[in-house]
């Protein structure tokens, strides 16, 4: 599949032919498009437009416009349900998440979260959304069927990002201020003892078999390698300055 890129400066979405190394199609988005996501069925492109508080809906192949939906201010991250029926869009400046009906191309709700959304992780079956919130010091769990915040787990100082295990049983949450990874058994809502890593842990990556978790430590400039079975730190690998995902 061809890459689709949100071009914030030109208020467009572009399709790139990697073999030819050129732009092959261009679609109009809103002001300052932030993220572009293709629906799981491959039919729809969902674009968050940060400066005009909208989501643009485009045909994923032709990039023809199909609709525009007003959402909460400064929309950023997008999660789309596996059946391509709904999109959840975080606000960058409010403690809200917008729910968009992709079939009817309408806004269903702006959910009050009780904390600013720092990350957005969708359970593979689409039943729940996991939202770390640094200013709420915990994890917000949204029921995607009822469009309600179902649970809240207090985790630590500043949970900012998370990675779901390969079997979707454990959520590994990065506490940037404490220098910890906090494992959460999602099914029973149980918080395990934190794993100490480097300073400023944020983005993480888990191996396909789920045995190793790699965490980017943005302040101490290293990668923390964790064995998930024992929840233990294996090593810290130095990187260049200010590593990112």
């Amino acid at each position: 599949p061809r890459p689709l890129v949100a071009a914030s400066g030109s208020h467009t979405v572009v399709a790139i032919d990697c073999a030819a190394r050129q732009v092959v199609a261009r679609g109009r988005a809103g002001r300052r498009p932030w993220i572009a996501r293709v629906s799981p069925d491959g039919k729809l492109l969902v674009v968050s437009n940060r400066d005009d508080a909208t989501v643009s809906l485009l045909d994923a192949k032709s990039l023809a416009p199909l609709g525009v939906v007003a959402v909460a201010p400064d929309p950023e991250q997008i999660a789309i349900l596996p059946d391509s029926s709904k999109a959840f869009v975080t606000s960058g400046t409010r403690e809200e998440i917008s729910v968009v009906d992709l079939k009817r191309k309408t806004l269903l709700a702006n959910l009050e979260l009780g904390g600013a959304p720092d990350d957005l992780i969708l359970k593979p079956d689409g039943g729940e959304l996991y939202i770390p919130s640094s200013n709420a010091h915990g994890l917000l769990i949204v029921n995607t069927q009822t469009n309600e915040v179902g649970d809240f787990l207090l985790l630590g100082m500043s949970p900012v990002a998370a990675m779901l295990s390969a079997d979707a049983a454990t959520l590994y949450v990065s506490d940037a201020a404490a220098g910890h990874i906090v494992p959460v058994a999602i099914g029973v809502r149980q918080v395990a003892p934190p794993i100490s890593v480097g300073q400023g842990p944020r983005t993480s990556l888990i191996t396909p078999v789920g045995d190793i978790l790699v965490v980017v430590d943005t302040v101490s400039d290293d990668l923390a390698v964790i064995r998930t079975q024992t929840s233990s730190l294996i090593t810290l690998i130095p990187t260049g300055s200010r590593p990112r995902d």
Side-chain angles (χ1 to χ4, degrees):
R2 59 186 185 176
L4 296 167
V5 180
S8 294
S10 61
H11 315 305
T12 59
V13 177
V14 296
I16 298 173
D17 184 325
C18 292
R21 300 183 182 181
Q22 64 182 12
V23 173
V24 294
R26 191 181 300 271
R28 191 69 184 174
R31 289 187 296 143
R32 199 181 172 199
W34 196 256
I35 287 177
R37 291 282 184 264
V38 178
S39 59
D41 62 10
K43 297 179 180 180
L44 196 65
L45 183 67
V46 183
V47 185
S48 57
N49 302 308
R50 206 172 191 279
D51 282 1
D52 58 10
T54 63
V55 166
S56 295
L57 306 177
L58 294 84
D59 182 279
K61 292 184 178 180
S62 68
L63 299 186
L66 299 176
V68 177
V69 181
V71 294
D74 303 294
E76 293 186 343
Q77 301 178 70
I78 301 169
I80 304 175
L81 296 190
D83 64 0
S84 302
S85 63
K86 289 191 285 190
F88 291 80
V89 185
T90 63
S91 169
T93 53
R94 288 190 184 176
E95 297 179 352
E96 293 182 9
I97 186 168
S98 299
V99 188
V100 178
D101 185 325
L102 296 180
K103 303 300 183 183
R104 299 180 180 179
K105 301 178 178 59
T106 58
L107 178 70
L108 292 175
N110 285 325
L111 304 183
E112 294 285 346
L113 296 175
D118 287 293
D119 199 1
L120 193 59
I121 301 94
L122 181 65
K123 192 176 180 182
D125 66 8
E128 291 182 330
L129 268 174
Y130 307 118
I131 305 174
S133 175
S134 56
N135 70 341
H137 311 294
L139 181 71
L140 298 147
I141 302 175
V142 173
N143 184 314
T144 61
Q145 302 306 309
T146 62
N147 301 331
E148 296 175 335
V149 179
D151 287 300
F152 173 78
L153 301 177
L154 189 64
L155 295 185
M157 295 174 64
S158 182
V160 295
M163 173 62 64
L164 198 59
S165 64
D167 60 3
T170 305
L171 189 72
Y172 294 94
V173 183
S174 300
D175 187 331
H180 291 158
I181 297 297
V182 184
V184 180
I186 286 299
V188 295
R189 307 293 200 249
Q190 183 176 352
V191 180
I195 306 164
S196 294
V197 290
Q199 300 174 33
R202 288 186 178 269
T203 308
S204 55
L205 173 70
I206 199 162
T207 58
V209 296
D211 59 335
I212 298 294
L213 178 71
V214 180
V215 181
V216 178
D217 296 321
T218 60
V219 176
S220 55
D221 300 337
D222 52 44
L223 299 178
V225 183
I226 294 169
R227 181 172 287 111
T228 58
Q229 186 175 6
T230 58
S231 294
S232 58
L233 179 67
I234 299 173
T235 189
L236 294 173
I237 302 173
T239 65
S241 179
R242 298 182 180 179
R244 299 292 177 186
D245 58 346

